[in-house]
């Protein structure tokens, strides 16, 4: 082929190449515009009006006496819902119930139940009977006291049973109790609090991460089953929030207070079936799932948790030496 032939070919290809390029650039611009507009819709305009007692007089929150659950209870009571609060400790339930009644003038009901057990559901069913429930927040959850290798988790047998019962069985059973009446009225919202740890495997928190992935899958599958009946089921996947569970005392932009997290999250209901709930967390979710290879995310998660484990065991050893107990730590 001569230079003249090659020049001819290029000239002939010029127009088609121009259109391929133009189409590609236009598609990318349209995609970016769509993402910006949907981001604006979710994170700036929000859907704050959706969660109101028009869905039903009562809202039910599990794990309602601390952290994220307590903040949901407060925000829903502020919006006028009568509240059913469920946790283990009756005295903490009484305190939260009294505070909601005083501050927001709403009716409350408490049910003391340990979600680590499986025989509690008849009691909860009796407590909920006859109530018109508009919102259920499946919030109760437990994590590890510190990151640990699977076989080194103290009392592993009971640890497994408790975590599965609290994090997974509670979500299925509470939904079993509440969803039928929502479906009959074609109205209702179920918020299932999963975790960003459920978006990919998190080594040394492996059972927790797996239970949260279950919650995410359960929510998304069920949403598709009941969407046409007017029910919203949302999977909520927070990164760190400053609560007792995380032992974060100083909130920051990326580790918000539970109040700030919940206020942001409720704006996403009805707009996102699966949400990180809070703009900085959504950015973290996007980066870790779309921009970084999954293998690297798992590797870095393992490294971070190994460091945390070493730090925790070291501090524990020092404490024990100081107290003269000197228990074996590893
Ligand atoms: N904090 C975070 O950074 C974060 C991040 C991602 C996901 N999450 C998820 O968000 C949810 C709430 O977390 P949190 O940080 O708010 O937790 P938290 O501060 O430890 O509060 C947990 C709540 O659950 C109750 N609870 C614990 N074990 C229970 C049991 N066996 N039976 C009944 N109630 C029980 C506790 O009350 P009693 O002790 O009185 O029973 C408390 O009200 C969990 O599902 C967690 O996995 C949290």
């Amino acid at each position: 082929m001569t230079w003249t032939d090659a020049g001819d070919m290029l000239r002939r290809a010029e127009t088609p190449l121009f259109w391929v390029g133009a189409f590609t650039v236009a598609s990318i611009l349209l995609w970016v515009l769509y993402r910006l507009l949907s981001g604006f819709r979710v994170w700036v305009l929000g859907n704050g009006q959706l969660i109101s007692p028009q869905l039903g007089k009562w809202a039910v929150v599990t794990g309602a006496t601390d952290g994220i659950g307590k903040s949901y209870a407060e925000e829903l009571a502020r919006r006028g819902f009568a509240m059913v609060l469920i946790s283990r400790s009756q005295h903490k339930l009484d305190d939260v119930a009294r505070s909601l009644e005083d501050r927001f003038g709403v009716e409350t009901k408490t049910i003391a139940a340990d979600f680590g057990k499986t025989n509690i559901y008849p009691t909860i069913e009796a407590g909920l009977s006859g109530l018109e429930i508009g919102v259920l927040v499946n919030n109760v959850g437990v994590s590890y006291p510190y990151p640990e290798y699977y076989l080194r988790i103290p009392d592993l047998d009971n640890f497994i049973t408790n975590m599965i019962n609290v994090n997974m069985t509670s979500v299925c059973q509470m939904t079993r109790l509440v969803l039928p009446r929502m479906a009959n009225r074609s109205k209702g919202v179920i918020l299932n609090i999963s975790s960003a740890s459920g978006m990919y495997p998190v080594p040394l928190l492996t059972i927790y991460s797996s239970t949260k992935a279950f919650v995410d899958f359960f929510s998304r599958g069920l949403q598709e089953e009941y969407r046409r009946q007017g029910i919203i089921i949302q999977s909520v996947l927070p990164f760190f929030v400053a609560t007792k569970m995380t032992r974060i005392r100083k909130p920051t932009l990326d580790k918000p207070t539970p109040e700030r997290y919940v206020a942001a999250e409720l704006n996403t209901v009805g707009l996102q079936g699966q949400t990180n709930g809070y703009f900085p967390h959504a950015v973290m979710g996007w980066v870790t799932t779309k921009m970084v290879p999954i293998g690297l995310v798992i590797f870095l998660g393992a490294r971070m948790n190994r460091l945390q484990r070493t730090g925790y065991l070291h501090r524990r050893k020092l404490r024990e030496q100081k107290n003269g107990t000197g228990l074996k730590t590893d």
Side-chain angles (χ1 to χ4, degrees):
M1 189 192 297
T2 65
W3 284 110
T4 331
D5 292 342
D8 273 355
M9 263 175 70
L10 273 176
R11 256 190 303 282
R12 259 179 273 133
E14 210 171 272
T15 310
L17 280 176
F18 168 81
W19 285 111
V20 169
F23 179 75
T24 310
V25 171
S27 309
I28 292 172
L29 284 178
L30 275 176
W31 180 79
V32 170
L33 187 69
Y34 169 75
R35 299 296 300 187
L36 284 175
L37 285 176
S38 0
F40 186 79
R41 174 76 184 95
V42 175
W43 302 113
V44 181
L45 299 180
N47 213 11
Q49 306 309 312
L50 183 90
I51 302 285
S52 82
Q54 283 180 357
L55 291 165
K57 179 181 170 186
W58 290 84
V60 180
V61 180
T62 66
T65 48
D66 257 315
I68 296 174
K70 187 176 172 192
S71 292
Y72 270 111
E74 288 173 342
E75 181 56 30
L76 293 170
R78 195 182 67 73
R79 292 176 185 222
F81 284 96
M83 294 300 308
V84 182
L85 312 170
I86 315 180
S87 274
R88 267 173 311 190
S89 340
Q90 188 60 56
H91 72 278
K92 278 162 79 181
L93 284 167
D94 291 341
D95 285 350
V96 177
R98 210 171 308 120
S99 146
L100 297 184
E101 286 168 15
D102 292 347
R103 289 166 62 198
F104 306 110
V106 295
E107 256 180 271
T108 65
K109 206 173 161 121
T110 62
I111 303 172
D114 180 350
F115 284 104
K117 312 263 187 315
T118 49
N119 59 359
I120 53 171
Y121 294 98
T123 311
I124 296 179
E125 186 169 18
L128 299 182
S129 87
L131 305 184
E132 185 194 64
I133 298 169
V135 176
L136 165 65
V137 186
N138 278 315
N139 162 79
V140 72
V142 283
S143 184
Y144 289 41
Y146 66 96
E148 185 53 286
Y149 292 96
Y150 186 65
L151 292 179
R152 292 189 180 195
I153 295 170
D155 194 14
L156 180 58
D157 187 6
N158 287 321
F159 184 89
I160 294 169
T161 309
N162 188 59
M163 190 163 286
I164 287 178
N165 286 344
V166 177
N167 292 5
M168 290 163 54
T169 309
S170 72
V171 177
C172 301
Q173 291 287 11
M174 289 301 300
T175 303
R176 174 182 69 82
L177 297 181
V178 169
L179 184 56
R181 274 173 282 162
M182 285 184 171
N184 281 343
R185 293 188 302 116
S186 299
K187 240 188 218 180
V189 169
I190 300 180
L191 306 179
N192 291 332
I193 314 303
S194 170
S195 165
S197 308
M199 293 162 74
Y200 22 71
V202 182
L204 282 79
L205 294 177
T206 299
I207 316 177
Y208 177 73
S209 161
S210 312
T211 61
K212 291 301 180 176
F214 171 88
V215 173
D216 181 47
F217 265 50
F218 177 76
S219 312
R220 288 157 61 197
L222 212 63
Q223 172 62 102
E224 203 45 46
E225 289 181 35
Y226 289 92
R227 184 192 304 283
R228 277 185 214 96
Q229 297 185 42
I231 310 296
I232 293 176
I233 299 165
Q234 191 188 39
S235 171
V236 182
L237 307 106
F239 282 80
F240 284 120
V241 177
T243 66
K244 258 190 195 160
M245 180 185 275
T246 50
R247 297 195 201 98
I248 296 168
R249 290 194 192 92
K250 255 198 172 167
T252 53
L253 181 68
D254 62 323
K255 301 177 184 83
T257 60
E259 293 81 12
R260 192 154 165 213
Y261 180 81
V262 166
E265 197 289 312
L266 284 175
N267 271 332
T268 70
V269 180
L271 299 176
Q272 292 187 310
Q274 188 197 31
T275 184
N276 293 115
Y278 172 66
F279 183 65
H281 287 189
V283 174
M284 289 155 76
W286 183 72
V287 170
T288 50
T289 54
K290 302 280 190 295
M291 302 295 283
V292 184
I294 178 85
L296 183 61
V297 174
I298 297 172
F299 171 79
L300 293 175
R303 207 169 76 159
M304 184 181 82
N305 283 338
R306 268 197 297 272
L307 284 172
Q308 275 196 15
R309 171 181 184 271
T310 309
Y312 174 90
L313 292 178
H314 181 67
R315 285 192 301 279
R316 195 170 80 178
K317 201 168 183 176
L318 290 180
R319 258 198 322 272
E320 286 164 357
Q321 278 168 358
K322 203 169 139 204
N323 297 338
T325 48
L327 292 174
K328 198 167 171 281
T329 55
D330 200 359

